Every structure is written in structure tokens, then in C-alpha cells.
Amino acid sequence: MAETAADVLVTVNSDEYDSSFDSFVPGGETAIREEFVTAESGDIITLAALLGDEGDPVEFEFLPGGGETEDVPPEVAHLTFETPAEASASWTATRGR
């Protein structure tokens, strides 16, 4: 089965933080945006990914600066295309540095 390429627009839904990128991601490849958005500890950031030209954005909240306490580390957000032909994707977060 061939992997389908997709257009993706990721934005930060916040008046305080302003960041976005628009990219064409070929099937089977990974697009990385390091330090896309940085935030203070405890600030919850909402990312919105729009796949293609239609549909609703897929939103995700994460803590790029970590929690207000040391036991909540910074997080790194990952957007994974589940079925690019149907513009389906999901967000996850992993422990950052």
C-alpha cells in the first residue's frame, strides 16, 4: 500500500503564545519542529492541526515547560497521521528534556 502525502497546518491556540507552521509531509516521512513553542512551567498550551483543506482541526493540550512542580517534566507533542487519505491524526505527548 502506498503512503499518502499530506498538507498539515499546526497552530498554537493562545493569545500569549504565537507560533505556526505549514508543511507538506510526504508519506512515510517525519517532519520535526524543535522548540516550536516554549512556555513557562505550568502553562498549558493547545495545539491545533489542520490536515488538508477541509475538516476540523485536531486539538491537543500539553505542558511544554512542564508542571509547576518538579515531578511533572516538560512534554514534547507528537502528531501521528493515522489515515492521511481521510485526514485522520492523533496527538500524544512524551517526556521531554
Side-chain angles (χ1 to χ4, degrees):
M1 172 167 64
E3 304 240 4
T4 305
D7 287 315
V8 61
L9 170 64
V10 177
T11 58
V12 175
N13 288 346
S14 171
D15 293 334
E16 187 175 348
Y17 299 98
D18 183 28
S19 190
S20 68
F21 75 86
D22 191 359
S23 182
F24 181 77
V25 182
E29 293 190 18
T30 299
I32 297 174
R33 296 294 184 265
E34 292 187 22
E35 298 183 17
F36 174 64
V37 62
T38 57
E40 299 294 323
S41 295
D43 285 358
I44 298 171
I45 301 298
T46 302
L47 299 177
L50 182 60
L51 309 175
D53 297 332
E54 299 177 12
D56 295 323
V58 179
E59 294 190 345
F60 181 70
E61 292 182 345
F62 77 121
L63 296 163
E68 294 181 358
T69 60
E70 290 182 18
D71 62 330
V72 181
E75 295 178 332
V76 176
H78 301 269
L79 177 65
T80 303
F81 293 104
E82 295 168 355
T83 52
E86 297 174 14
S88 177
S90 63
W91 287 101
T92 57
T94 58
R95 188 175 279 203
R97 299 183 242 151

